[in-house]
Amino acid sequence: MLRAVENKPEEFQFASEELRADDEIFQIVLEKNGAIALQFTTNPRVRSDRSIVLHAVKSNSRAINFMDEIFRDDLEIMTFALARLSIFDHGFLSIASNRLKRNPDFVLQVLKEHPKEFTHVAEDLQNDPVFMLRALQMNTELFHLVEIFLTLLK
């Protein structure tokens, strides 16, 4: 199994429960693909270990889907994940904590590269004219999305 996950970390999902709890095998998979490591491990401790979660997110931003919920409020972890998002990843803000969804600087950082995340922005920010002006100045794609969003709300 060690050789298999070294070459193809996705093989980790097919390992026995005992092997998916093995620290050595987990570390190998974590180095290759943090999302797979967190998703398929049978060791619940690792999903709540901040250093492991941070390493997993640095390896693959999709690891945020499998980490302990407490880290959805961790600005550093969520910022690392944001920096590694692809343009095809959607729903990032839906995973973030309510506190981060209300953090104007964090949300602007998200919207700068991922305007489609606007639908997950906290309502108080969506209703804040100063915030909306800053967001629209930063990413003109938001003009179209905000218009569609407002139409849907009617």
Side-chain angles (χ1 to χ4, degrees):
M1 178 50 71
L2 216 50
R3 186 165 290 157
V5 297
E6 283 177 331
N7 294 326
K8 287 186 161 187
E10 57 275 4
E11 295 295 322
F12 186 56
Q13 66 184 306
F14 303 114
S16 68
E17 283 192 32
E18 184 179 311
L19 289 175
R20 287 185 289 136
D22 182 273
D23 286 338
E24 183 181 4
I25 294 174
F26 176 81
Q27 286 299 325
I28 291 168
V29 177
L30 180 63
E31 292 299 320
K32 304 275 185 181
N33 188 320
I36 288 175
L38 288 185
Q39 181 178 7
F40 294 108
T41 185
T42 55
N43 183 345
R45 172 190 57 81
V46 299
R47 288 188 184 100
S48 58
D49 182 312
R50 188 178 188 282
S51 64
I52 290 174
V53 168
L54 186 57
H55 191 85
V57 168
K58 286 179 180 180
S59 163
N60 185 325
S61 64
R62 291 187 178 142
I64 63 173
N65 294 301
F66 310 108
M67 66 187 181
D68 194 289
E69 198 166 306
I70 193 167
F71 298 121
R72 294 173 182 210
D73 193 48
D74 188 307
L75 183 60
E76 182 182 19
I77 287 174
M78 295 302 284
T79 301
F80 269 110
L82 173 62
R84 285 148 184 79
L85 284 183
S86 81
I87 59 168
F88 304 108
D89 291 326
H90 300 291
F92 174 76
L93 274 178
S94 68
I95 292 170
S97 70
N98 287 332
R99 182 183 72 88
L100 289 180
K101 287 179 196 172
R102 287 186 176 88
N103 178 325
D105 295 326
F106 178 72
V107 173
L108 286 171
Q109 219 180 339
V110 173
L111 295 177
K112 183 177 182 180
E113 299 296 326
H114 305 279
K116 291 182 180 176
E117 293 294 321
F118 179 76
T119 58
H120 301 292
V121 173
E123 194 173 321
D124 53 329
L125 288 180
Q126 290 177 7
N127 294 324
D128 179 343
V130 174
F131 171 82
M132 290 304 298
L133 182 60
R134 286 176 63 200
L136 291 167
Q137 288 172 331
M138 188 176 10
N139 191 327
T140 55
E141 281 185 59
L142 284 168
F143 280 107
H144 178 68
L145 292 170
V146 170
E147 184 179 51
I148 291 170
F149 186 71
L150 291 174
T151 304
L152 293 173
L153 290 177
K154 290 181 182 179

